[in-house]
Amino acid sequence: MVQMIPVKHAKAIMGRLRHGADLLEEITAICREHGIRLGRIEAIGAVKKASIGFYDQQTRTYAYLTLVKAMEITKLSGNVSIKDGEVFVHAHITLADDTGRAYGGHLAPGTIVFACECIIEAFEGPALERVFDEETGLALWDIGGTETELKK
Ligand code: ZN
């Protein structure tokens, strides 16, 4: 079942992150400071090192890959919602090394900013809350019943 809700553009903020900051923690802190509880994130830049996750669908656990080298952030794409009552950022990242090879995955703590230009778009809409999903073992948005449900 597809679950979608309408959201409305509220505001956008853009700027650069601090050199040496933890990428995921920094974006989360910015959302909290600016009162953004629903939104989307886009960024480009470079990192000094990275930690990216891959969700094993069989074991239902994340395996993490740590890359200790300078890389370009060719794309960071994410969203902002609520988990356990707190602002929660979920982002995926694609990184390219000095040979142009790309790595990608679920952005994890431990990814350190060299430079990063970030745009965060805030939406108005009902709070999207993450709850445990039996089918996947993941904390997914629970929209059930409160808003428009579209059947596939
Ligand atoms: Zn993910």
Side-chain angles (χ1 to χ4, degrees):
M1 180 178 57
V2 179
Q3 298 183 16
M4 300 294 283
I5 56 167
V7 296
K8 195 175 155 202
H9 171 84
K11 67 174 175 182
I13 58 172
M14 63 190 291
R16 70 182 179 100
L17 308 188
R18 289 173 300 135
H19 178 87
D22 183 288
L23 182 53
L24 181 59
E25 288 173 8
E26 184 93 326
I27 293 171
T28 304
I30 291 167
C31 290
R32 287 184 177 143
E33 279 164 27
H34 288 264
I36 298 170
R37 297 165 62 82
L38 187 66
R40 74 167 167 201
I41 303 158
E42 184 183 319
I44 56 172
V47 298
K48 297 177 179 203
K49 60 177 277 200
S51 180
I52 52 178
F54 176 84
Y55 188 68
D56 186 317
Q57 297 175 12
Q58 302 306 316
T59 63
R60 297 184 162 210
T61 54
Y62 276 96
Y64 292 95
L65 177 65
T66 301
L67 299 157
V68 184
K69 56 181 172 179
M71 289 172 289
E72 296 287 319
I73 303 169
T74 56
K75 177 74 175 181
L76 180 152
S77 188
N79 56 57
V80 187
S81 62
I82 302 296
K83 185 179 174 192
D84 301 325
E86 299 281 336
V87 170
F88 182 81
V89 170
H90 179 203
H92 286 195
I93 191 167
T94 305
L95 301 156
D97 70 10
D98 60 356
T99 69
R101 286 191 181 87
Y103 302 88
H106 177 96
L107 177 64
T111 300
I112 306 302
V113 173
F114 180 77
C116 184
E117 298 172 348
C118 184
I119 302 170
I120 304 172
E121 182 180 11
F123 298 131
E124 274 171 21
L128 269 186
E129 187 104 33
R130 291 186 178 276
V131 297
F132 180 76
D133 176 67
E134 291 284 348
E135 253 177 350
T136 62
L138 293 166
L140 299 180
W141 291 330
D142 181 30
I143 300 170
T146 56
E147 295 290 332
T148 313
E149 287 189 17
L150 304 172
K151 290 201 166 72
K152 222 174 191 173

